Amino acid sequence: MNKTDKIYVAGHRGLVGSAIVRNLKAKGYENVIGRTHSELDLTNQAAVKEFFETIRPDVVVLAAAKVGGINANNTAPAEFAYENMQIQCNVIKCSHDYNLKKLLFLGSTCIYPKMAPQPIPEDALLTGPLEETNEAYAIAKIAGLEMCKFFKRQYGDDFISCMPTNLYGPYDNYDLQGSHVMPAMIRKFHEAKKSNAPTVELWGTGAPLREFLHVDDMADACVFLLENYSGESHVNIGTGKEVTIKELALMVKKTVDYQGEIVWNHDMPDGTPRKLTDVSRLHQLGWKHKIELEEGIQSAYDWFRENVETARMGN
């Protein structure tokens, strides 16, 4: 990429997209553009084609997606499959038709089988059944990264894909009906502290193991791949480190300085028992994470406290 390239970041105001925009600009890429959903509906094929015809971007980062946690995925699987596949098909096809220099497609480690080997290598894809609680989202993401691979294979397009692990950080979604585990915990402990609530209820048993990556590290890895990678295979982005959900809860509780007790609701699902990425390919390419979990949780909570009035909180 050149510093003067016109770079379109789809989903530029979300957790992932906003971090990538920050990182690109910090590295001297000033010609970075974005469109809000009201300005450009990526599920609208004609609108996406008109955007590409008018703007003619050189590089696209496809970070826009319909996302959510276990509850959101369980209650609206049709929307998760349909909307994500619409977005991907429209953007990837236009990126080919308008001869883009480069496209980066962002997926999620939920694409891997529920009982994948641990840590999960990139070649574990499509080797077993998916986790039922986010199957629709996973299938859509698998379709997107495979599409990038096929366009590269058939036409030589420089379309690459990456699979970030569980992300957290500034501009996260704190709506308890659709948020992921980290922002949900931050909000629950914060509100319980403010109201002097004696307990905080969390879902499941606390036993599942998860890996967490600060979104600023993820963004740095994405820009690194844009600058240094053109392979056909997708690349895992993570830390290679894991904690139990219970350990995470205790870390967030300590960071927020909540003095009450945690109550685990065993009637609610745990999700995948373990999900740790094999990041050896990314390490071999020359990139490693910098922000450790305790530091990251503190910075995420600091951001939430400072932006609680404008954060995505739902109803």
Side-chain angles (χ1 to χ4, degrees):
M1 293 197 305
N2 299 319
K3 300 296 184 183
T4 56
D5 282 344
K6 189 181 295 183
I7 305 172
Y8 168 50
V9 179
H12 72 289
R13 296 205 301 186
L15 171 70
V16 171
S18 62
I20 292 172
V21 169
R22 290 195 300 274
N23 193 277
L24 284 166
K25 290 185 175 181
K27 290 188 166 83
Y29 295 97
E30 289 299 327
N31 201 0
V32 181
I33 55 176
R35 293 291 185 273
T36 64
H37 179 73
S38 61
E39 293 169 331
L40 175 60
D41 180 359
L42 293 175
T43 66
N44 184 321
Q45 186 180 52
V48 174
K49 185 173 182 179
E50 181 182 1
F51 168 79
F52 272 80
E53 178 69 33
T54 304
I55 301 301
R56 299 281 176 155
D58 300 300
V59 178
V60 166
V61 178
L62 183 43
K66 181 178 178 63
V67 298
I70 290 175
N71 182 59
N73 277 271
N74 266 339
T75 55
E79 283 78 8
F80 273 84
Y82 181 66
E83 291 183 28
N84 281 303
M85 284 194 276
Q86 275 190 307
I87 290 168
Q88 295 160 193
C89 287
N90 292 340
V91 174
I92 292 170
K93 181 61 163 62
C94 279
S95 295
H96 167 74
D97 290 344
Y98 289 90
N99 300 310
L100 240 69
K101 290 173 64 174
K102 192 133 193 170
L103 177 142
L104 173 63
F105 174 80
L106 283 96
S108 162
T109 47
C110 72
I111 63 168
Y112 291 119
K114 180 175 182 176
M115 304 308 293
Q118 303 289 329
I120 309 171
E122 285 87 353
D123 61 10
L125 184 68
L126 297 173
T127 59
L130 298 166
E131 161 60 40
E132 296 86 351
T133 57
N134 55 24
E135 184 179 21
Y137 180 73
I139 287 172
K141 286 296 179 181
I142 292 169
L145 74 91
E146 291 291 280
M147 199 184 314
C148 288
K149 180 174 75 176
F150 296 144
F151 271 93
K152 174 181 285 291
R153 187 175 296 173
Q154 184 172 344
Y155 298 109
D157 293 322
D158 195 358
F159 294 176
I160 61 172
S161 301
C162 63
M163 298 299 117
T165 189
N166 299 294
L167 302 172
Y168 67 98
Y171 301 96
D172 211 335
N173 176 15
Y174 293 90
D175 178 358
L176 295 180
Q177 296 304 309
S179 62
H180 289 104
V181 61
M182 176 86 78
M185 284 184 181
I186 288 174
R187 177 176 176 179
K188 284 184 175 183
F189 284 120
H190 175 79
E191 292 181 347
K193 178 184 177 181
K194 284 182 62 179
S195 64
N196 293 313
T199 62
V200 166
E201 180 183 292
L202 300 177
W203 283 15
T205 64
L209 288 156
R210 289 291 182 272
E211 174 185 19
F212 295 94
L213 178 71
H214 194 282
V215 72
D216 287 342
D217 268 345
M218 179 280 313
D220 194 64
C222 286
V223 176
F224 174 85
L225 290 172
L226 282 167
E227 294 175 332
N228 297 283
Y229 184 70
S230 292
E232 187 174 281
S233 173
H234 61 282
V235 179
N236 289 338
I237 299 178
T239 65
K241 300 179 180 181
E242 61 188 343
V243 294
T244 67
I245 296 299
K246 183 176 182 180
E247 288 170 334
L248 175 70
L250 293 173
M251 292 171 76
V252 176
K253 179 176 183 282
K254 179 182 177 182
T255 300
V256 175
D257 192 28
Y258 171 65
Q259 300 300 315
E261 299 298 321
I262 299 171
V263 176
W264 294 95
N265 184 346
H266 293 187
D267 293 330
M268 302 307 289
D270 269 335
T272 306
R274 189 183 183 202
K275 194 165 65 173
L276 177 67
T277 56
D278 180 344
V279 290
S280 57
R281 176 173 291 168
L282 186 58
H283 287 179
Q284 288 164 8
L285 288 168
W287 187 92
K288 291 185 178 180
H289 78 283
K290 301 177 182 68
I291 303 171
E292 297 299 343
L293 187 55
E294 286 192 3
E295 174 193 353
I297 292 172
Q298 184 65 62
S299 69
Y301 181 51
D302 290 343
W303 184 92
F304 176 74
R305 282 190 302 172
E306 293 166 7
N307 296 274
V308 68
E309 298 301 323
T310 56
R312 287 186 289 167
M313 304 283 276
N315 296 323

